[in-house]
Amino acid sequence: MSNKKSASSGRTLLDTARNHAVPIMFIIICAIFIPMAGFSPSYLLNEIITRMGRNLFLVLCLLFPIMAGMGLNFAMTLGAMGAEIAVILVADWQIWGIPGVVLAMILSIPFSAFLGFICGTLQNMAKGREMITSYIMNYFIGGWYQFVVLYVMGSVVPIIHASIMLPRGYGIRNTVSLLHMRQCLDDLLAVRIGGVKIPVLTFILVGLLCLFIVWFRRTKLGQDMRAVGQDMQVAKDAGINVDRTRVISVVMSTVFAGFGMVIYLQNMGNLPTYTGHAQIGMFCIAALLIGGASVERASIGNAFLGVVLFHLMFIVAPNAGAFITGDTMVGEYFRVFLSYGVITVALIMYEAKKRMNKSRAGRELAEAQTRMREEAGR
């Protein structure tokens, strides 16, 4: 009896390790790198809290398309582009502080919603290939974004302040200063505990989004999204407008990504006009996967754990690389390699697990059919 219990607990432990292999792997990496990096605990904690406030909102917006069965939304970058256009307009109008942040969020909604609608419509035409479609959409819309900020702004859309324009008289400079908006959200209700700054207002906004996600899952639309994510044909037979529900999930993701990008930019204090959005999607998706999420399932807890582990690795990797090799650049390359590599590893593990479950289900069905034939023969 004890042997059976130990075997059962061993299988349970093995299944748990297999299901959480990516977070376990990164916990081990961080545990090895932290002593090598030589940072103090207060410095690491301060950096982690700052990066959580900066990035959590962006990572959480990925949950809506996953809920609808559309996988990882690489097109969340479209919402970031919409937010960047809104921030450029706000900077040109010289509206700073909290009013500037609120106005930028409001202005980002039509841009982000329009781009999300286009992306969701195209993804409906490529069912089963949503992730690669959204990934390519980044490049397509990115080209149009560069056309707008490089030519349209200043020549067609009037820009008042020459300080944000290129010397030729139209087009936006490579970097737009947001010094008068810098950390206005983070500082408003900030609390310092033992030298660690906690941006309370930013975390309140993140908490409100978490509460919205929990509430939304219980609504009719949220239930429809979950039904579509489980089986599109069954959802269609139940009278759910599958295509409309999928488009709404993408629009919600891009709109919230726009809000998250405004929070991100006010924390950074400057806008890299042409590159600010470039890596947002990749890094947010990597963080979510590191937290234990998959293409089919993700939770708020995955987002929180993923942001902590991913950015902890980001902080300590350069110094750890310098400690191991004597060259800081190796740490930088290693950090980028891990951020992209984790997406590859997680997707491979997801596909392997999916095939393993399918093979197991096939074997169980074959065994059941064999037993039925044997019972019928008796």
Side-chain angles (χ1 to χ4, degrees):
M1 191 73 175
S2 60
N3 290 336
K4 288 183 179 180
K5 285 184 179 179
S6 60
S8 176
S9 61
R11 282 195 299 271
T12 303
L13 187 62
L14 184 62
D15 289 340
T16 302
R18 189 184 294 118
N19 293 333
H20 301 88
V22 175
I24 290 172
M25 178 177 66
F26 266 79
I27 289 171
I28 293 171
I29 291 172
C30 291
I32 294 172
F33 278 7
I34 287 173
M36 294 180 182
F39 292 125
S40 66
S42 61
Y43 174 81
L44 286 177
L45 185 59
N46 193 62
E47 284 293 310
I48 288 297
I49 289 176
T50 300
R51 290 166 184 258
M52 285 179 70
R54 183 193 302 164
N55 294 280
L56 260 173
F57 207 101
L58 283 164
V59 177
L60 288 167
C61 78
L62 291 166
L63 300 184
F64 296 100
I66 293 176
M67 195 188 308
M70 301 178 74
L72 302 167
N73 182 26
F74 288 90
M76 65 169 288
T77 311
L78 275 57
M81 294 179 201
E84 287 173 341
I85 292 174
V87 168
I88 290 170
L89 295 175
V90 169
D92 183 46
W93 299 336
Q94 298 288 288
I95 302 173
W96 302 117
I98 298 296
V101 169
V102 174
L103 181 59
M105 287 183 176
I106 294 171
L107 288 176
S108 72
I109 294 174
F111 299 127
S112 302
F114 175 69
L115 295 174
F117 175 78
I118 292 174
C119 184
T121 303
L122 291 176
Q123 284 177 307
N124 279 336
M125 299 178 185
K127 288 186 176 74
R129 298 290 183 270
E130 291 90 353
M131 285 194 293
I132 187 63
T133 303
S134 64
Y135 185 72
I136 297 302
M137 279 292 293
N138 285 332
Y139 293 101
F140 174 67
I141 299 298
W144 282 101
Y145 167 81
Q146 292 195 20
F147 171 73
V148 169
V149 296
L150 196 58
Y151 176 76
V152 174
M153 287 189 164
S155 60
V156 179
V157 177
I159 298 296
I160 302 169
H161 287 270
S163 60
I164 69 171
M165 279 198 301
L166 293 169
R168 65 187 182 187
Y170 61 89
I172 305 300
R173 291 182 181 272
N174 289 340
T175 303
V176 175
S177 175
L178 304 177
L179 183 62
H180 300 294
M181 189 187 288
R182 186 174 185 269
Q183 297 190 8
C184 59
L185 280 178
D186 300 338
D187 292 339
L188 186 59
L189 298 177
V191 174
R192 291 189 177 272
I193 301 175
V196 177
K197 176 185 171 183
I198 302 174
V200 176
L201 182 57
T202 307
F203 280 115
I204 287 174
L205 294 178
V206 171
L208 289 174
L209 179 57
C210 294
L211 290 175
F212 174 80
I213 291 171
V214 173
W215 169 81
F216 179 76
R217 283 175 173 164
R218 299 174 182 174
T219 63
K220 173 66 168 59
L221 182 56
Q223 295 290 341
D224 288 351
M225 281 188 189
R226 295 169 68 182
V228 170
Q230 289 173 3
D231 194 309
M232 281 191 289
Q233 188 57 48
V234 172
K236 188 175 181 179
D237 293 341
I240 298 172
N241 189 331
V242 172
D243 287 352
R244 175 178 168 274
T245 303
R246 284 160 56 94
V247 169
I248 290 174
S249 72
V250 177
V251 170
M252 291 180 68
S253 180
T254 53
V255 168
F256 280 115
F259 294 165
M261 191 64 181
V262 174
I263 294 172
Y264 178 92
L265 292 174
Q266 66 83 33
N267 177 270
M268 297 298 292
N270 65 79
L271 166 61
T273 308
Y274 302 96
T275 61
H277 57 273
Q279 302 298 331
I280 289 294
M282 281 290 186
F283 287 169
C284 289
I285 286 169
L288 190 63
L289 292 174
I290 288 170
S294 70
V295 176
E296 289 183 336
R297 184 173 296 177
S299 67
I300 295 171
N302 295 141
F304 275 80
L305 177 61
V307 169
V308 171
L309 292 178
F310 182 71
H311 286 283
L312 183 58
M313 184 273 296
F314 240 60
I315 295 164
V316 300
N319 279 31
F323 177 84
I324 296 170
T325 65
D327 187 352
T328 306
M329 286 303 298
V330 173
E332 288 290 339
Y333 288 128
F334 188 63
R335 181 165 70 175
V336 174
F337 163 76
L338 282 178
S339 63
Y340 287 102
V342 70
I343 298 178
T344 305
V345 171
L347 292 177
I348 290 173
M349 291 176 66
Y350 162 76
E351 188 61 29
K353 182 180 176 182
K354 186 177 177 181
R355 293 188 180 187
M356 188 187 305
N357 292 338
K358 188 175 180 181
S359 175
R360 184 185 303 165
R363 287 197 303 270
E364 290 175 355
L365 180 61
E367 290 172 0
Q369 289 175 342
T370 302
R371 285 196 299 270
M372 288 175 64
R373 283 196 296 268
E374 288 175 354
E375 291 174 0
R378 292 172 188 169

